[in-house]
Amino acid sequence: KKKTVSFSTMPNDRKINSTAACISFMLEGCELKKVRSNSRMYSRFFVLDSDMRSVRWEPSKKDSEKAKIEIKSVKEVRVGKKTPILRSNGLSDQFPDECAFSIIYGDNYESLDLVASSADVVSAWVMGLRYLVSYGKHTPEAPGTGHPCLRTSWISSVFDLADLEKSGRIPVSRAVQLIKALNPGMKASTIELKFKELQKASDRVGMDVACDLFVEAYCELCTRPEIFFLLVQFSSNKEYLGLKDLLMFLEVEQGMEGVTEEKCLEIVSKYEPSKEGREKGYLAIDGFTRYLLSSDCSIFDPQHRKVCQDMAQPLSHYYISSAHSACLLEDSFWGGSDIGGYISALGLGCRSIELVLWDGPDGEPVVYASPSAASCVPFRTAVGLIEQHAFAASAYPLILCLVARCSAAQQRLAAQCLRKTLGDKLYLEPPSPAESYLPSPEQLKGRILIKGKKLPPDCEDSEGEVSDEEEGWELARRPGQGEREVPEGGGPRRARLSRELSELVSLCQAVPFRDFESSRRGQRYWEMCSFSEVEAGRFANECPAELVSYNKRFLSRVYPSPMRIDASNMNPQDFWKCGCQMVAMNYQTPGLMMDLNAGWFRQNGACGYVLRPAIMREEVSYFSANAKDSLPGVPAQLLHLKVISGQNLPKPKGSGAKGEVVEPYVCAEIHGIPADCAEHRTKTALQSGDNPVFDESLEFQINLPELAVLRFVVLDDDYIGDEFIAQYTIPFECLQPGYRHVPLQSLAGEPLPHATLFVHVAITDRRGGGKGHRRGLSGRRGRRVREYTSTKATGIKAIDEVFRTATQPLREATDLRENVQNALVSFKELCGLTPAANMKQCIITVAAWLLHSDSAPSVTLNLAERYPPMEAQGPIPDLLRKVLTAYETMIQTSRTLIESADAVYGKLIQAQQAG
């Protein structure tokens, strides 16, 4: 019986990091499961022949000449469930996508479908086979040896520079420092261990290292197999990426547009470490790894690093980054007040700050976060600092929420101080009654707005009474002061307000909220209400559509419940989904809620303002935040996320034991409207050290992309309780597609040096409307009932009749869109690609089949025509005929859509205007 290699014993340190390693693994052979068309699986031993010309398997009923595939007949090697057999319903749940691969071979494009026990084994076979298919005719005797490659000569030249004595050897300590400098983030102990291992294996123990040993150590430590695998996929010679290869990678995988060879040359000269590579325009594995880790390749779309949204809409159309009690350091009751809190909040782009004024000891008002807080800050000092830092991080308007808890005399001093210190920055122009919306952030650039109470217009005196339902009463028991007087009969509390302070309030006049009906009738656009978290939460659950509608014209501020004495945070998404602009956060308390807030406000150049979704701004639009599925007029999307590996993950805080092994897993969470909230986790990477491999695909359906946030959390799998390692939070709209590194952060949001996750991101439109199915791409496609958009009856006959005329064009629009999407997916699946693939990838795949075939028909694609036909001359195999037919259907459905769209759109607009 032939010796078999079981994978459970595939040694952990045996890293497949070169094509040579893949081929030697295939020459040894291993067990794989062969999948038949009847969905049954059989274990067979697969091995590469010693002449490297064919792959055989045994035992087999066929004679040994039939139980083999010649390398020269292989058209393509596919990773994942990419053939009809592997996609069939009976199998799809029995093994993960990353453990399957298929070999497409022969003139009839038959497929040999295989399942391995791990993704590593798949990578070894796929990489080896792809190499042999490219070099089948002139296979190097032992791949990887022969002439020194670009990389080896570069590493040797680095060694020579460090070999100051020119003795051909350098001390181990210097060798360790050298590798550490070339690969920041790698632990010195890991490098030392590798040198010891290699010295022991070659019987050269000592304090010095020779060049060949240094090169071997560097290649073993610094080659990331997953990146090497990617390079081999795109490289035309399997050693490095030429300019054309790199261009193909950037356009096809990274979704970049308008890439030129000059741009590729820039990338090579910036990231390729070897001089020869830079001169010849080659990007080898080290340069490619550096590029993928660089900020040029970040997961965060660089367009969003600067202000990129329309800033000329009314103020009420934006979410505004808001702080609650920013001067607090710890919790509400015991924390001291400290002026640094204001500076750090403003530095993070916060645009709304709260100041609670109390009577100070020297006749001057002071700022406490709460009356019981341990220390106070003179109001004058606080205002001076705000003036200094107000526009350091953002030029857009800052709103100061003043809550006056001091005497009228001290209020006058506060007003004088504000006028004197803030000068022209203070916005004092009275609102124009002719307008119906607030001015825009663009119009208010560089201005500071005061939010507070205003005396009634008929009050002539230097001070007067106003109702006081502002927050903070629960805390308003100053030590040594009795209870505040509550008016008899339990009506609203009253407070004294000085005219000077009242006159500073213009666009943000605080008024009490009665109900939505009263607001609709009587509230003016410059008046705003504050809601406690509990009250706002009740509206969000009971009447979300009314709250959204209210927030179209008026600003609303939501503040944390006074029960949160530990200064914990509410979930801002609960209120953003209802359009509330200012959700006041305790900036001093890190954690999930603050991550969401910080991540969310990164998307518009971190300027503190984010434009709300159109569905929440349009005059006539109906939106309920608690919708369970896709929203009318908003195309739902699918996020395909592949978590590949982690780099330099730190140990969880507080895990003191030095020898403790981290066993991480990654949790991906979507936060947004309730229909979108979901989380999926990868399996735990066992005993993987600091650089675990996960290789797992996750999928999310996003119904309202503009409100969705993706959060990565890395946790240590522990039987007592999973410990936090790192996180990163990013708005869905800022994701860049392709292979990306996620820069991980600590719990407090600080960057962790060199700690990253390597992921692949793809975003597609969801097919077919209706519910997103986990396996929505199965073979039985035709049976799903198409869901059409319907209109909501108002009960007013004349209006309902007008909108009824839209029913037919809405159906037509749905059919046009669905037909194109279905045709696209069918074409991609026949090409052996996922629905997340793009057209370029499809055309390249078909071209590759034809190139690897001696008897292939010639196929032409005429790009001069508006709807380019793809035609074949001569007899064509069955699969290719199906691909050409699917291509034709895709072109025809697209053509129908392009030619009919304007007419259908016209009918819809007509119905809307009439309505």
Side-chain angles (χ1 to χ4, degrees):
K1 188 173 182 298
K2 208 163 193 171
K3 168 175 89 83
T4 65
V5 182
S6 85
F7 300 125
S8 49
T9 60
M10 184 165 180
N12 269 348
D13 55 349
R14 172 174 180 170
K15 265 177 121 176
I16 302 262
N17 56 12
S18 66
T19 343
C22 296
I23 291 175
S24 60
F25 176 72
M26 289 160 66
L27 288 164
E28 285 173 27
C30 72
E31 213 163 274
L32 298 169
K33 289 193 168 81
K34 185 167 174 267
V35 185
R36 290 263 181 87
S37 53
N38 60 5
S39 295
R40 301 199 37 200
M41 299 206 275
Y42 302 89
S43 277
R44 297 287 180 261
F45 186 84
F46 282 76
V47 64
L48 175 67
D49 266 357
S50 52
D51 63 1
M52 300 194 214
R53 302 248 159 106
S54 49
V55 172
R56 304 178 173 273
W57 60 92
E58 55 183 45
S60 169
K61 292 200 181 76
K62 304 175 180 169
D63 60 49
S64 62
E65 278 313 297
K66 295 254 177 65
K68 71 170 190 182
I69 289 178
E70 292 197 358
I71 298 291
K72 68 174 188 214
S73 73
V74 175
K75 301 276 184 277
E76 187 196 359
V77 186
R78 296 180 187 173
V79 188
K81 302 172 194 172
K82 303 279 174 61
T83 62
I85 292 175
L86 288 176
R87 273 199 205 101
S88 70
N89 294 342
L91 285 173
S92 53
D93 299 329
Q94 291 185 25
F95 48 86
D97 196 59
E98 37 283 327
C99 288
F101 69 107
S102 307
I103 301 172
I104 313 292
Y105 66 97
D107 291 337
N108 292 325
Y109 296 84
E110 293 164 69
S111 71
L112 172 64
D113 298 299
L114 302 167
V115 178
S117 65
S118 78
D120 291 343
V121 176
V122 172
S123 298
W125 276 95
V126 171
M127 206 180 321
L129 284 166
R130 283 180 178 164
Y131 183 88
L132 293 170
V133 168
S134 303
Y135 290 99
K137 311 279 188 299
H138 45 94
T139 306
E141 287 320 295
T145 60
H147 71 98
C149 65
L150 218 63
R151 184 182 200 196
T152 316
S153 42
W154 166 67
I155 302 168
S156 308
S157 69
V158 171
F159 179 89
D160 293 342
L161 285 175
D163 178 12
L164 306 171
E165 299 78 26
K166 299 290 170 251
S167 60
R169 307 178 70 77
I170 60 171
V172 172
S173 57
R174 196 182 304 163
V176 171
Q177 287 314 110
L178 206 53
I179 290 186
K180 201 164 162 31
L182 292 170
N183 200 343
M186 188 173 282
K187 291 186 180 138
S189 55
T190 313
I191 307 171
E192 284 161 11
L193 199 66
K194 177 57 70 185
F195 278 125
K196 279 189 187 135
E197 236 174 70
L198 293 175
Q199 284 179 326
K200 193 175 170 195
S202 58
D203 287 331
R204 289 192 284 180
V205 183
M207 293 314 291
D208 288 342
V209 176
C211 184
D212 58 336
L213 197 93
F214 179 77
V215 170
E216 190 180 349
Y218 179 87
C219 290
E220 287 197 17
L221 286 166
C222 304
T223 311
R224 284 175 44 192
E226 69 275 32
I227 292 184
F228 181 71
F229 187 45
L230 193 57
L231 179 123
V232 169
Q233 223 171 311
F234 281 87
S235 160
S236 35
N237 70 351
K238 310 298 175 224
E239 272 223 354
Y240 51 75
L241 296 173
L243 294 181
K244 284 202 164 50
D245 300 333
L246 181 57
L247 188 128
M248 187 79 86
F249 170 74
L250 296 176
E251 284 198 331
V252 169
E253 276 304 336
Q254 304 299 83
M256 285 169 69
E257 286 171 10
V259 189
T260 57
E261 288 203 8
E262 290 75 51
K263 169 76 185 153
C264 294
L265 199 55
E266 269 175 44
I267 291 175
V268 171
S269 50
K270 188 169 174 186
Y271 296 106
E272 173 54 42
S274 72
K275 187 163 179 258
E276 185 191 350
R278 290 195 297 272
E279 283 166 2
K280 294 185 176 169
Y282 296 154
L283 196 60
I285 179 74
D286 298 287
F288 189 43
T289 307
R290 284 180 183 188
Y291 170 63
L292 287 174
L293 278 165
S294 73
S295 59
D296 286 350
C297 203
S298 154
I299 189 168
F300 190 91
D301 185 342
Q303 288 182 343
H304 289 272
R305 291 207 179 109
K306 48 189 187 299
V307 175
C308 57
Q309 296 175 344
D310 173 8
M311 299 304 283
Q313 302 267 343
L315 212 53
S316 60
H317 286 356
Y318 297 84
Y319 295 112
I320 303 171
S321 176
S322 308
H324 176 249
S325 310
C327 67
L328 271 190
L329 271 191
E330 293 105 25
D331 57 48
S332 304
F333 269 86
W334 327 116
S337 306
D338 170 49
I339 210 72
Y342 287 121
I343 301 174
S344 72
L346 290 169
L348 292 167
C350 175
R351 297 285 83 198
S352 161
I353 278 181
E354 180 186 34
L355 294 171
V356 187
L357 307 187
W358 300 90
D359 281 328
D362 311 323
E364 286 237 359
V366 293
V367 177
Y368 285 98
S370 81
S372 49
S375 59
C376 60
V377 176
F379 180 66
R380 196 174 291 280
T381 315
V383 176
L385 266 174
I386 289 169
E387 194 275 330
Q388 249 177 306
H389 297 275
F391 302 104
S394 165
Y396 292 100
L398 173 68
I399 300 171
L400 291 186
C401 301
L402 287 192
V403 183
R405 297 263 171 269
C406 55
S407 63
Q410 294 208 6
Q411 288 177 27
R412 280 184 206 108
L413 288 174
Q416 288 160 15
C417 166
L418 284 166
R419 278 184 190 267
K420 187 175 161 201
T421 315
L422 302 179
D424 294 344
K425 292 180 184 168
L426 212 49
Y427 185 89
L428 300 171
E429 293 152 43
S432 148
E435 299 289 327
S436 37
Y437 280 100
L438 288 162
S440 68
E442 192 55 52
Q443 290 166 300
L444 296 169
K445 248 184 170 172
R447 306 303 288 272
I448 295 176
L449 279 57
I450 304 292
K451 169 198 173 274
K453 287 282 174 192
K454 220 168 160 56
L455 291 173
D458 54 7
C459 171
E460 304 286 324
D461 306 330
S462 63
E463 58 182 77
E465 273 207 340
V466 288
S467 72
D468 188 359
E469 61 306 290
E470 282 293 310
E471 58 188 291
W473 269 116
E474 303 78 357
L475 305 171
R477 293 189 203 144
R478 291 288 303 280
Q481 273 190 341
E483 294 280 327
R484 291 263 172 171
E485 313 77 59
V486 177
E488 288 180 29
R493 290 194 180 82
R494 312 294 294 169
R496 302 295 292 170
L497 179 66
S498 81
R499 172 168 298 284
E500 282 94 328
L501 203 55
S502 167
E503 282 170 352
L504 297 183
V505 177
S506 142
L507 290 178
C508 297
Q509 182 182 338
V511 296
F513 178 80
R514 292 196 174 76
D515 56 65
F516 290 118
E517 191 48 47
S518 315
S519 296
R520 215 178 357 254
R521 289 214 197 91
Q523 190 170 340
R524 291 166 303 194
Y525 72 84
W526 61 84
E527 296 177 330
M528 66 175 286
C529 299
S530 288
F531 301 92
S532 79
E533 167 189 357
V534 178
E535 190 182 14
R538 196 177 73 241
F539 293 143
N541 288 327
E542 292 170 11
C543 41
E546 301 234 19
L547 189 51
V548 170
S549 198
Y550 171 84
N551 284 323
K552 284 180 188 176
R553 282 198 48 207
F554 309 116
L555 283 177
S556 61
R557 179 172 185 272
V558 182
Y559 56 88
S561 153
M563 303 311 282
R564 294 183 182 273
I565 58 171
D566 56 350
S568 61
N569 275 310
M570 48 192 169
N571 185 344
Q573 285 274 3
D574 291 344
F575 307 103
W576 290 338
K577 71 181 186 192
C578 295
C580 297
Q581 298 87 348
M582 299 158 74
V583 182
M585 303 294 284
N586 287 308
Y587 270 60
Q588 70 276 25
T589 311
L592 163 64
M593 305 312 172
M594 208 50 222
D595 291 346
L596 291 176
N597 194 68
W600 179 251
F601 283 104
R602 268 190 209 121
Q603 66 183 291
N604 191 23
C607 75
Y609 284 81
V610 167
L611 189 61
R612 297 185 315 178
I615 198 167
M616 293 186 179
R617 306 194 308 264
E618 288 158 357
E619 281 279 0
V620 181
S621 67
Y622 170 81
F623 168 65
S624 162
N626 297 340
K628 288 286 174 278
D629 194 46
S630 54
L631 303 163
V634 182
Q637 297 192 305
L638 281 179
L639 168 63
H640 310 262
L641 189 65
K642 186 171 190 187
V643 182
I644 303 169
S645 58
Q647 290 72 44
N648 307 314
L649 298 181
K651 285 208 165 88
K653 270 220 168 79
S655 61
K658 202 166 173 219
E660 191 184 322
V661 180
V662 176
E663 300 198 325
Y665 66 91
V666 178
C667 202
E669 310 165 344
I670 293 284
H671 298 266
I673 59 170
D676 291 346
C677 291
E679 69 172 69
H680 295 308
R681 58 160 283 178
T682 65
K683 53 187 177 298
T684 301
L686 299 169
Q687 307 202 329
S688 55
D690 312 329
N691 303 311
V693 173
F694 302 103
D695 232 338
E696 213 161 325
S697 302
L698 313 171
E699 193 176 282
F700 296 93
Q701 177 181 318
I702 317 282
N703 295 298
L704 186 55
E706 291 170 282
L707 262 194
V709 176
L710 169 63
R711 181 172 186 256
F712 294 94
V713 194
V714 187
L715 295 159
D716 183 14
D717 199 341
D718 203 2
Y719 53 86
I720 299 170
D722 298 347
E723 287 190 89
F724 175 90
I725 296 177
Q727 62 84 25
Y728 182 72
T729 310
I730 179 171
F732 181 78
E733 301 273 285
C734 300
L735 284 171
Q736 289 218 88
Y739 288 93
R740 307 284 173 187
H741 281 92
V742 177
L744 294 171
Q745 299 179 338
S746 69
L747 192 59
E750 282 130 14
L752 295 168
H754 313 301
T756 51
L757 284 179
F758 187 45
V759 299
H760 182 265
V761 176
I763 296 165
T764 56
D765 286 341
R766 198 184 79 217
R767 290 177 47 236
K771 288 266 186 285
H773 293 280
R774 185 72 189 85
R775 299 248 174 269
L777 307 168
S778 64
R780 298 184 302 197
R781 188 176 301 117
R783 296 187 193 171
R784 211 165 91 227
V785 180
R786 199 166 271 184
E787 288 186 20
Y788 293 102
T789 303
S790 56
T791 50
K792 187 178 173 63
T794 59
I796 303 165
K797 194 175 171 206
I799 291 181
D800 288 343
E801 277 176 7
V802 173
F803 281 123
R804 206 166 288 132
T805 60
T807 311
Q808 192 47 41
L810 279 172
R811 284 185 78 92
E812 288 172 38
T814 304
D815 287 337
L816 288 169
R817 188 184 67 230
E818 300 298 305
N819 292 345
V820 171
Q821 288 186 347
N822 290 341
L824 271 169
V825 171
S826 302
F827 176 58
K828 291 172 184 179
E829 287 188 350
L830 279 165
C831 293
L833 297 165
T834 65
N838 57 38
M839 266 309 110
K840 284 186 174 141
Q841 286 162 312
C842 297
I843 301 297
I844 287 165
T845 304
V846 177
W849 296 348
L850 298 166
L851 287 174
H852 292 152
S853 168
D854 302 330
S855 58
S858 83
V859 176
T860 56
L861 183 62
N862 182 0
L863 291 174
E865 294 195 24
R866 185 173 178 196
Y867 300 103
M870 198 193 295
E871 290 157 348
Q873 277 75 44
I876 52 175
D878 193 35
L879 178 71
L880 200 54
R881 184 180 298 108
K882 283 184 183 163
V883 168
L884 292 175
T885 313
Y887 175 83
E888 183 55 30
T889 311
M890 181 188 77
I891 291 290
Q892 287 313 325
T893 52
S894 303
R895 182 177 186 160
T896 313
L897 181 136
I898 291 166
E899 290 171 357
S900 337
D902 289 348
V904 176
Y905 181 67
K907 288 183 207 165
L908 288 170
I909 289 297
Q910 209 177 336
Q912 186 177 343
Q913 285 171 347

